[in-house]
Amino acid sequence: MDTATTPPAWTLDATEARVALREAIQACNERGLYSAARWAAEALNGLPLPEDTNSQEAIGQGYTSPYRKDLALSSDVSSNDTDLTEHDAYLMAKSFFDLKEYDRCASVLEGYNSNKSRFLRLYSRYLVGEKRREQDTRDVLGPLDHGMAVNKELEKIDSELTEAYNAGTLDSFCKYLYGVVLIKRQRKTFAAEILVESVNQYPYNWSAWLDLGSCLPSYTAVTDIQSKLPVSFMTTFFLTHVTLECFGDQHEEGTTWLEQLSESFPRSAYVKSERAIAYYHARDFPEAAKVFEELVKENPYRLDGLDVFSNVLFVTDSRSRLSFLAHTCAMTDIYRPETCCIIGNYYSMKAEHEKAVIYFKKALRLNRSYASAWTLLGHEYLEMKNTFAAVESYRRAVDYNQRDYRAWNGLGQTYEALKMHYYSLNYYQRATAIRPYDGRIWCAMAECYEYLDQDLAAIKCYTRALLGSDQEKMALKKLPKLYKKIGDKEAAAHYFRKSLEQLREEQSESEDTSEACLFLALYEREKGNLAAASEYATEAMQCSSEQHQEDAKALLRDIRSVLDAGESETID
């Protein structure tokens, strides 16, 4: 069996999982990693309920985590410890951190070199640098937002962490921060190595897994590092996330991991959200909407992943449901990037593109690295014919997520609108490399080749589009005409027949129907199949095009004259 779809050999021990996740919640909270702590809390409450809530399984008695000593949890500090002075300073610094007084937090911890104090001090400095970088850029796509602003604290943090890493004194959390800094400095290959070390040293920091996923340029890279990852349910969570959200074209492999997680974490909202995303990438929008509806009903105030739900409702043209979702999310938290994206999608559906732009920009002010919001902003600018802003938005999207095929496709569409078809082809090719079975992109590429009079290349693209069932209709309409243009009558007749079958199913009497019937009538007449030619000519006469009706009548008269002449020869 392929290693990409072979689940890791781990067996879930509910007691160990509960103890490990409880420790993870505490450890991440004490280091200011609140998103990772929230994720661990959701995973903890996603485990099956024990039959007896006072049992050892529920409480976790009798099991000691192998990671607890290295976590340096505050609950383990006793009055006999010699480093109570540092712990007291840490408690004060953490209170400043919680109030977002990051400079003050870092200054309090100067001179303390335990891994816990070092992490909080350097992480505070990192956040200070990020805050100042945001202030330097100001408005999204404004005059100062040139995308070149950098975090000026990175160099100092990198220098200190590199020295400690070479000395072998970093714990898993400091290695995680080192990986984040390396990613920011565009050293993703080395960052991936550091983050793999981090998750092996302590597997329950979900933020480290997320950043590891962002370092992997291809699905091959995922399979390459799989053997280096710990044997844990956290690895399966990671593989599920990276296949579904980073490499959506591998959704079938992601579903394999998801099945195992569904058995081990039957109550997990995160697992259900991932299942809905899997349906979304498979373009099974009704099923995706159904799972999202269940998720919203069970967790009415959970906003994670609902921006994908709004995309599903947008594609299925469910305006009333999208309106209700936008209103509900706005009542829950108007200052979440997901909420702003949902409201932006609602205004986009109403064709109020200026308002949609406002909300997508709000989402980006809250989170500049929100690749999906950059892509959606590009879509709006493209609708408004603002091609410069559209190109810039799409470029920012691929800067943050090179696997976002929608952004590459958007760049192709924008350059196509600018009549720069060679540029357009380059971006369409990037999109098809990510979504090889998406017929829409293949058809768009084929149209570029048609514009450039490269008919053979266009034929190849339309033929490839036939593998994407949602674009079969367009490809079948175009292929016979192109084969007719290059003089390949056999292939043209083959695809005209397929196209005609489809048009008959749709009960369409368009010009495409009459054109197909006329070509096939002429083709069959040349082959000597006069009866078949007569049937096609008769069908062409019933279509709406007056010109085609006249041509069909003339052809039918010609066929009948040939038939009559044949009958006279037989009588003689």
Side-chain angles (χ1 to χ4, degrees):
M1 185 181 290
D2 188 354
T3 56
T5 57
T6 304
W10 58 267
T11 303
L12 184 72
D13 184 304
T15 302
E16 292 181 14
R18 282 190 170 86
V19 171
L21 289 169
R22 286 169 186 156
E23 287 178 355
I25 295 165
Q26 188 176 350
C28 291
N29 269 324
E30 289 182 1
R31 290 164 175 81
L33 300 174
Y34 300 122
S35 294
R38 180 185 62 179
W39 185 92
E42 277 198 346
L44 174 63
N45 286 276
L47 288 164
L49 289 171
E51 295 180 3
D52 181 4
T53 55
N54 295 318
S55 65
Q56 287 189 358
E57 178 190 350
I59 299 171
Q61 289 181 344
Y63 173 72
T64 303
S65 167
Y67 306 106
R68 189 171 186 95
K69 183 179 178 181
D70 294 332
L71 293 179
L73 301 177
S74 294
S75 56
D76 294 341
V77 176
S78 67
S79 57
N80 297 324
D81 289 341
T82 57
D83 57 351
L84 279 178
T85 303
E86 179 175 348
H87 180 65
D88 292 343
Y90 162 80
L91 291 175
M92 181 167 67
K94 182 61 169 58
S95 67
F96 296 149
F97 183 95
D98 291 340
L99 292 170
K100 298 185 178 181
E101 297 181 27
Y102 302 127
D103 281 310
R104 199 174 179 190
C105 172
S107 66
V108 166
L109 292 174
E110 287 292 342
Y112 296 110
N113 291 315
S114 70
N115 274 311
K116 191 174 180 181
S117 296
R118 174 193 283 150
F119 177 86
L120 193 62
R121 172 170 55 82
L122 294 180
Y123 188 43
S124 295
R125 283 171 56 184
Y126 169 79
L127 292 176
V128 166
E130 287 295 291
K131 184 177 179 181
R132 288 173 183 160
R133 183 178 66 83
E134 292 290 333
Q135 291 171 348
D136 290 342
T137 54
R138 299 186 187 177
D139 291 338
V140 175
L141 295 182
L144 297 177
D145 184 13
H146 44 71
M148 300 299 290
V150 295
N151 184 334
K152 295 177 182 177
E153 299 290 332
L154 290 180
E155 189 173 350
K156 295 177 184 176
I157 300 171
D158 188 3
S159 175
E160 182 172 340
L161 288 174
T162 300
E163 184 179 347
Y165 177 73
N166 292 333
T169 59
L170 293 184
D171 71 347
S172 65
F173 286 97
C174 287
K175 285 180 180 177
Y176 157 66
L177 181 58
Y178 190 24
V180 171
V181 171
L182 291 170
I183 291 171
K184 288 287 185 180
R185 305 198 80 183
Q186 304 301 317
R187 297 172 62 191
K188 289 191 174 183
T189 303
F190 186 40
E193 296 176 13
I194 300 297
L195 290 168
V196 167
E197 289 184 27
S198 174
V199 297
N200 273 286
Q201 203 167 336
Y202 182 67
Y204 301 103
N205 175 12
W206 182 240
S207 293
W209 290 102
L210 291 179
D211 283 305
L212 174 58
S214 72
C215 293
L216 304 176
S218 66
Y219 192 67
T220 304
V222 178
T223 56
D224 288 344
I225 69 159
Q226 194 173 321
S227 60
K228 302 175 185 177
L229 300 177
V231 178
S232 166
F233 63 84
M234 293 297 293
T235 298
T236 307
F237 270 113
F238 166 71
L239 292 172
T240 303
H241 162 78
V242 82
T243 49
L244 293 180
E245 299 196 32
C246 301
F247 304 97
D249 55 310
Q250 301 292 336
H251 57 83
E252 292 181 2
E253 283 79 359
T255 304
T256 304
W257 311 116
L258 203 54
E259 291 302 319
Q260 191 172 9
L261 290 176
S262 298
E263 294 174 8
S264 303
F265 294 83
R267 301 165 55 235
S268 171
Y270 175 81
V271 172
K272 181 165 281 191
S273 176
E274 291 295 288
R275 185 182 297 113
I277 290 171
Y279 284 126
Y280 169 73
H281 285 302
R283 300 190 64 79
D284 187 351
F285 299 126
E287 199 62 33
K290 180 182 176 183
V291 177
F292 272 124
E293 291 285 4
E294 292 174 6
L295 184 65
V296 171
K297 187 175 181 181
E298 294 168 6
N299 304 271
Y301 303 109
R302 185 181 189 274
L303 299 178
D304 299 330
L306 292 189
D307 53 334
V308 179
F309 185 22
S310 73
N311 292 339
V312 172
L313 296 175
F314 184 92
V315 171
T316 55
D317 201 27
S318 304
R319 180 177 295 190
S320 59
R321 185 66 190 92
L322 181 54
S323 171
F324 180 74
L325 179 67
H327 178 75
T328 304
C329 292
M331 294 294 289
T332 302
D333 187 355
I334 191 65
Y335 296 108
R336 277 283 291 272
E338 293 90 342
T339 300
C340 295
C341 264
I342 292 166
I343 297 172
N345 268 337
Y346 170 66
Y347 281 120
S348 180
M349 180 179 280
K350 292 178 66 180
E352 297 183 23
H353 301 298
E354 292 82 2
K355 289 184 178 179
V357 164
I358 290 171
Y359 278 96
F360 290 136
K361 282 188 172 182
K362 281 184 179 179
L364 291 166
R365 276 195 289 272
L366 295 167
N367 181 5
R368 286 293 176 112
S369 61
Y370 194 0
S372 181
W374 282 113
T375 301
L376 294 170
L377 182 61
H379 292 345
E380 297 309 306
Y381 279 128
L382 187 56
E383 289 287 341
M384 296 164 65
K385 310 300 182 188
N386 186 345
T387 52
F388 173 80
V391 166
E392 185 62 24
S393 299
Y394 289 134
R395 288 194 186 283
R396 297 289 183 89
V398 296
D399 283 345
Y400 289 113
N401 180 12
Q402 291 193 346
R403 300 291 305 175
D404 189 349
Y405 77 95
R406 297 175 305 163
W408 292 116
N409 186 52
L411 281 167
Q413 289 177 324
T414 307
Y415 280 108
E416 188 177 0
L418 293 169
K419 306 297 182 186
M420 300 170 70
H421 291 86
Y422 286 106
Y423 282 88
S424 184
L425 285 171
N426 172 53
Y427 294 119
Y428 283 140
Q429 286 165 358
R430 298 289 294 268
T432 54
I434 300 168
R435 295 277 291 190
Y437 296 102
D438 195 322
R440 298 168 301 169
I441 308 172
W442 286 107
C443 284
M445 196 189 305
E447 288 179 341
C448 281
Y449 280 122
E450 279 191 82
Y451 183 88
L452 297 169
D453 290 327
Q454 298 184 28
D455 296 329
L456 290 176
I459 286 171
K460 288 179 182 178
C461 291
Y462 281 128
T463 305
R464 189 68 176 75
L466 292 177
L467 297 177
S469 58
D470 56 339
Q471 289 298 304
E472 186 177 357
K473 295 177 183 178
M474 181 179 180
L476 280 179
K477 286 180 182 178
K478 293 280 191 174
L479 275 170
K481 296 175 183 178
L482 284 169
Y483 276 117
K484 178 183 174 183
K485 182 180 177 182
I486 66 173
D488 189 342
K489 292 184 179 180
E490 294 291 333
H494 171 74
Y495 283 108
F496 267 128
R497 287 193 193 97
K498 283 195 166 189
S499 178
L500 191 57
E501 287 174 11
Q502 188 182 80
L503 292 166
R504 284 169 178 167
E505 288 177 7
E506 297 172 358
Q507 297 181 344
S508 173
E509 294 183 356
S510 63
E511 285 198 20
D512 291 321
T513 307
S514 56
E515 184 180 0
C517 289
L518 275 173
F519 179 87
L520 290 169
L522 288 166
Y523 176 78
E524 296 295 350
R525 190 186 70 170
E526 288 179 8
K527 293 289 185 181
N529 302 326
L530 298 181
S534 179
E535 288 178 11
Y536 283 126
T538 304
E539 187 174 350
M541 286 179 60
Q542 298 170 2
C543 298
S544 57
S545 173
E546 292 183 5
Q547 180 60 46
H548 286 169
Q549 285 178 359
E550 292 299 322
D551 292 342
K553 286 177 184 178
L555 181 58
L556 199 55
R557 284 195 298 268
D558 186 32
I559 293 169
R560 284 174 181 168
S561 66
V562 174
L563 288 171
D564 291 343
E567 289 176 5
S568 300
E569 289 177 7
T570 304
I571 293 169
D572 292 343

